[in-house]
Structures are given as C-alpha cells and as structure tokens.
Amino acid sequence: MAERADNVPLRTDFALLIDGELRSAKAKLDVINPATGAVFAACPKASIADLDAAVAAGRRAFKSWKKTTYSERASYVKKLAAALREHQDELATLLTQEQGKPIGQSIAEIDRGAAQSEGMVGIEIPIETLIEDDQRKIELFYRPLGVVGIITPWNAPVNLALGPLVSALYTGNTVVLKPSPYTPLTTLKLGELLKDIFPAGVVNVLAGGDELGQAMTEHVDIDKISFTGSVATGKNVLASAAGTLKRVTLELGGNDPAIILEDADPKAIAKKLFFASFVNSGQVCMAIKRIYAHEKIYDALCTALTAEAKQAKVGNGLDPETEFGPLQNKMQYDKVVDIIEDTKRSGARILCGGEIPNTPGYFIPPTLVTDVDETSRIVTEEQFGPIVPILKYSDLDDAIERANNTRFGLSGSVWTSDPTRGREIAAQLEVGTAWVNQHRATSAFVPFGGAKESGYGRQYSVLGLKGYMEPEVISVAK
Ligand code: NAD
C-alpha cells in the first residue's frame, strides 16, 4: 500500500461530472505520484448508481444534441480546444504528477490534443448518392449512435480521451468518459472545463475502477464502447459488449518492430530511434518494442543507441531537465523488473541500464539488450517499459518474417537511405500503420488502429468518425 507524502496536504479538489453538475461521491480513489510512490491526491469514485445517472443524462441530452449541425458541434469543440490551451499549464502539471511523464511532454500532450480536436472537426462526412435514375434515388447517410462509453488507459490520459471524445461529440453522440483509476485527475479537470462549454448531459466524466468499465460495457443504454487499453482487457470488453451487440472500437497494445536496413546510417538515425523506443519510458502503445538491425550496421547501431541511453536524463517529470520519467504504477514497474530479470536469466547481454535504483518512485533507466533468445518475454510480450532488444539479421525476408511473427499488429517502421525500397518493405509489415524513416507520426486526418490483436476499428480521419455512426440507406422512389 502506498504511503501518503509527509506534510504535504492531499489534493482533493476533484469532482465527477454528471448531467452538467459537479458531484462528489462517498467512495474515494487514492492517486499516487509515480515519481515519489506516495499518494498525493484523492478523487471521488463513481458508483453504479452514478453510472446509471450519467447514462440517463447522456440519453436525455442526445435528443437535442443529435439535431445540432456539424458546424454547430465544431464550434463547441473549438471552445474545448481553446479551454485546453488556456489551462494548459495547470493541466500539464497535474498530468505529470499523476502520470510521471516529463512536463514538456505533458504540455505537448495537451497542445496536441487541442490541435487534433480542431483537426477532426474540419473533416466532412458527406451523404453519398449510391444510385440515381428515373425510378429512385438511393443515398447513404450516417447518423449518430446515441450514448458512447469511452474507457481510457494511464499512459496518455488526455490525448487518448480527446480522440474518441471529440469523434463521438462531433458526430452527434453524447458521452460517458471513464479514465484509468491510476490517472483520473486530469480527465476530471477536463470534465470541469467541459461543464461550462457543452449542454448538460452531453459529456459526463466518471472516475472509477475496472468494475465501472465492465459495467459500462454491459450497460443496456450505452450504444458504443470506445476502449483504449491492453489486449487482454480489450477481449473482455468485446465479449461483454456482445451481450447488447454494442458497436466497439478497440485501440490495444503493440509489440512494434523497427527494421534497420544495411544502408541506414546508425549515427544519423540513433536519436530518433532511441526517442521512439523510450518516449514516456516506453509506455506508449506504438513505441518501438523490438529493433531488427542488419549485421553490417549492427555494432555501429548498438554503439550509437548506447551513447543516447548514457546521456538520457531520468528523473521526476516536474524537473524541466528530465527527459524520461518513472513507470506509471507499481504493477507496471514490477512487470518490467520481472522482464529485465527474465532477460538476464535467458543469457542476453545488457548493453546499458538494467540496474534498478534503490530510490523512491518507480524508476527504471533506459535499458538496451542484445544476444536475446527470440522466444524470451522481452521479444514475445509487449514490455511497455524502458527495455528494448536489438536483434541481428542477415537476410531481409527473415527479418520481415520475425517482425511479423506476433499476434500484435499495431505499427512498425523501416529505416533506410532508400525510401522507395523502404515503402516496399513497409507494405509487408502486418500492422495498422507502417512508417519509413520515422515512427509515431499521427494526425487527425489519418486513420490509426491495430491489425491482428492490436485492435478493432480505427480512430481519426473520416474512417474513424464513421465508427461513431450508423450507416443508413434512404431509398426514395420517384
Ligand atoms: P488496461 O486494459 O488494464 O485498462 C484500460 C482501462 O480499462 C482502464 O480504464 C481500466 O479501468 C479499464 N478496465 C479494466 N478492466 C475492464 C473491464 N473488464 N471492462 C471494461 N474496462 C475495464 O490497460 P492499461 O494497463 O491501463 O493501459 C496500457 C495498455 O494500453 C497497453 O497495452 C497499451 O499498449 C495500450 N494502449 C493502446 C493504445 C492504442 O491506441 N492502441 C494507446 C495507449 C495504450
């Protein structure tokens, strides 16, 4: 059980948002600062009765919200983006305190959330004319589904809430949003801002545990679940949503490969490759999780990446010098420590890192490993932490096969001085997004989601927005 920080008053200025009102609750959730390992805040924990009230409010509000136009809803979302920017500093500080990431990255998360939100509401969803002749006109249009339940994880709580939130609202749905019990605070503060922007009941925000998420997936009056989290929970969500045949979008985990060709320049790409692997201390769904390097550049790449790791500044995210914060919670920290131990036992060579500091907080330094047994956990599982294997190959087809030899399929990248060849190889990766000479670049206008067990459906772009709508055919006889 985590200790409370001595002499520091617990922050308790948080509330649920239900039907346009800020509400407290009998039960509380303690929130730990992962940089100290101590409880620093407590927030209300919603009950099933709160969920029922939020869903009922969402259903009432839907009656008029669905009749608003796209441009009216776009103007609400623009106010949301402006409020995010106005409150950026206080939201970012809170995000770093509850999540651990460096303050600059918290600011970037909020800024990016605002920009992506504005981007999404610029997308048109046209009515499509399928057939028009002397006898009839047949059109395909899209209407909102109703109440959307959004369930988010702890690694990027603001960004991962805003994508589905804005998609659902802009397409005419109302929302019940539940963040992870590890990082509920910034989302609750977002709820306070939304209270003054949207009509009552259009957005409801509830903090709660896994059981609240489960109740959302079973709720008869929720029409769709947009879930971001682990593959294992995603499978539970899908099974549970089947009871009411809810629409479901799943954004799940990844074990993303990067393939480095023999013509790549290790020194030139090391910084980008390192950051794409270790950003947010590896706790990013689409972070690089396995590096396959051609034997000709293998040693040079190991040297260049190790140099990056040795310079990396690990610490409390509130320190502006910090580049890499702690793991977000004790469970994830223990899992990554276990993987490091397992990797050492399997005979792998630790190039750098691998030692766990005996200090408060959930810190693990960036760790690179080579000579790895490809059946060991560090290769087969999503580590979601700051340890990455560098694996050698001599034959490109073999590297592609090894990169694809997983049930995950979120994203991947190819690194080469020949982008045309890179594109050909990218097309052979069994993933939702394949990048060439970059990794982790996303946009409101580009669909994002996982192949295989990394997901179900897409977020962003017109494709993602249509996932929040029911296609309906209207056939009019002339
Ligand atoms: P998690 O699956 O443990 O929890 C995610 C959310 O689901 C939390 O809000 C949790 O309370 C809720 N939940 C737990 N059990 C539930 C149930 N039975 N029914 C409904 N909801 C339930 O995931 P996590 O550990 O918080 O997040 C890390 C995972 O998220 C990683 O696997 C990561 O790759 C993935 N992720 C994916 C994306 C993406 O876009 N593909 C983005 C970020 C994170």
Side-chain angles (χ1 to χ4, degrees):
M1 190 62 211
E3 292 297 315
R4 260 191 65 175
D6 286 340
N7 304 325
V8 181
L10 206 62
R11 242 189 104 166
T12 55
D13 54 319
F14 303 96
L16 312 175
L17 175 63
I18 301 174
D19 202 9
E21 281 176 15
L22 297 178
R23 296 195 194 167
S24 61
K26 273 202 196 107
K28 300 276 177 245
L29 270 176
D30 279 344
V31 182
I32 292 171
N33 179 339
T36 62
V39 173
F40 79 103
C43 72
K45 182 179 182 203
S47 63
I48 298 299
D50 291 324
L51 172 62
D52 288 339
V55 176
R59 193 141 291 288
R60 276 194 302 277
F62 180 60
K63 287 185 192 157
S64 45
W65 184 248
K66 70 179 174 185
K67 292 185 185 148
T68 54
T69 63
Y70 282 104
S71 73
E72 282 167 334
R73 296 192 296 259
S75 68
Y76 280 101
V77 171
K78 285 177 189 158
K79 284 185 200 154
L80 178 166
L84 284 170
R85 292 199 177 99
E86 192 187 330
H87 295 268
Q88 189 178 61
D89 289 347
E90 73 190 72
L91 290 173
T93 303
L94 187 59
L95 180 55
T96 289
Q97 283 174 315
E98 66 172 341
Q99 204 286 328
K101 67 182 63 183
I103 187 72
Q105 288 168 34
S106 290
I107 291 172
E109 178 168 338
I110 288 154
D111 193 45
R112 190 177 137 70
Q116 298 249 72
S117 300
E118 287 166 336
M120 265 187 284
V121 299
I123 298 173
E124 269 185 54
I125 303 174
I127 296 172
E128 296 158 39
T129 301
L130 304 177
I131 297 176
E132 179 158 25
D133 57 23
D134 299 345
Q135 281 134 43
R136 70 230 151 123
K137 181 172 183 183
I138 303 181
E139 289 173 307
L140 181 62
F141 91 112
Y142 293 84
R143 61 181 164 76
L145 293 167
V147 180
V148 174
I150 299 172
I151 302 173
T152 59
W154 44 257
N155 61 322
V158 175
N159 213 345
L160 297 171
L162 284 171
L165 179 78
V166 170
S167 303
L169 294 176
Y170 177 54
T171 49
N173 302 280
T174 57
V175 166
V176 177
L177 165 63
K178 186 200 92 67
S180 164
Y182 291 113
T183 53
L185 304 177
T186 323
T187 312
L188 291 175
K189 284 291 165 199
L190 176 66
E192 282 183 32
L193 300 177
L194 298 179
K195 168 186 163 291
D196 296 330
I197 296 172
F198 288 88
V202 169
V203 188
N204 304 275
V205 184
L206 303 177
D210 298 352
E211 68 296 337
L212 191 72
Q214 172 82 30
M216 289 169 72
T217 62
E218 290 167 1
H219 206 290
V220 287
D221 265 338
I222 290 184
D223 302 279
K224 175 183 171 115
I225 293 288
S226 179
F227 171 83
T228 307
S230 63
V231 172
T233 311
K235 288 179 183 176
N236 288 337
V237 167
L238 193 55
S240 170
T244 46
L245 282 183
K246 284 182 184 33
R247 304 301 181 257
V248 174
T249 300
L250 302 176
E251 291 285 351
L252 308 179
N255 192 2
D256 300 9
I259 302 180
I260 324 299
L261 304 194
E262 74 276 16
D263 63 2
D265 176 352
K267 272 196 180 152
I269 63 172
K271 204 169 259 322
K272 272 193 187 175
L273 213 52
F274 185 80
F275 191 69
S277 305
F278 290 97
V279 56
N280 200 15
S281 292
Q283 302 164 108
V284 175
C285 56
M286 61 184 118
I288 295 171
K289 314 270 175 23
R290 297 172 287 154
I291 297 175
Y292 289 92
H294 190 273
E295 60 185 357
K296 273 196 191 149
I297 47 95
Y298 184 82
D299 289 340
L301 188 73
C302 289
T303 306
L305 288 173
T306 303
E308 292 294 329
K310 291 198 166 148
Q311 286 171 22
K313 293 194 179 64
V314 179
N316 188 324
L318 288 179
D319 177 348
E321 297 286 302
T322 293
E323 295 169 315
F324 302 92
L327 277 286
Q328 197 281 325
N329 59 69
K330 179 75 165 66
M331 184 193 65
Q332 188 61 24
Y333 171 84
D334 288 343
K335 180 185 155 182
V336 176
V337 169
D338 261 10
I339 290 181
I340 291 177
E341 293 308 324
D342 182 79
T343 308
K344 284 179 180 167
R345 270 197 306 276
S346 73
R349 190 159 60 92
I350 307 284
L351 278 180
C352 54
E355 298 300 329
I356 312 300
N358 187 18
T359 50
Y362 310 135
F363 291 99
I364 298 178
T367 300
L368 288 161
V369 293
T370 60
D371 302 337
V372 174
D373 169 0
E374 216 139 328
T375 63
S376 65
R377 290 180 65 194
I378 183 60
V379 180
T380 59
E381 289 184 20
E382 180 192 40
Q383 63 273 49
F384 219 59
I387 168 166
V388 174
I390 313 175
L391 307 144
K392 197 186 280 186
Y393 74 87
S394 49
D395 174 68
L396 181 59
D397 287 337
D398 173 55
I400 296 169
E401 201 174 308
R402 284 155 68 191
N404 285 334
N405 184 23
T406 169
R407 288 299 303 148
F408 292 100
L410 191 59
S411 65
S413 53
V414 180
W415 300 74
T416 169
S417 56
D418 179 351
T420 309
R421 184 166 170 235
R423 194 206 166 282
E424 279 165 22
I425 297 162
Q428 296 176 59
L429 294 179
E430 296 165 357
V431 293
T433 304
W435 292 283
V436 177
N437 292 332
Q438 55 179 345
H439 197 107
R440 228 171 60 88
T442 58
S443 149
F445 305 100
V446 178
F448 183 78
K452 299 178 172 174
E453 292 189 10
S454 285
Y456 206 80
R458 293 291 182 270
Q459 296 280 10
Y460 300 113
S461 79
V462 73
L463 195 61
L465 291 176
K466 283 180 179 174
Y468 290 82
M469 306 187 87
E470 192 66 50
E472 180 173 334
V473 169
I474 302 183
S475 184
V476 178
K478 285 188 176 167

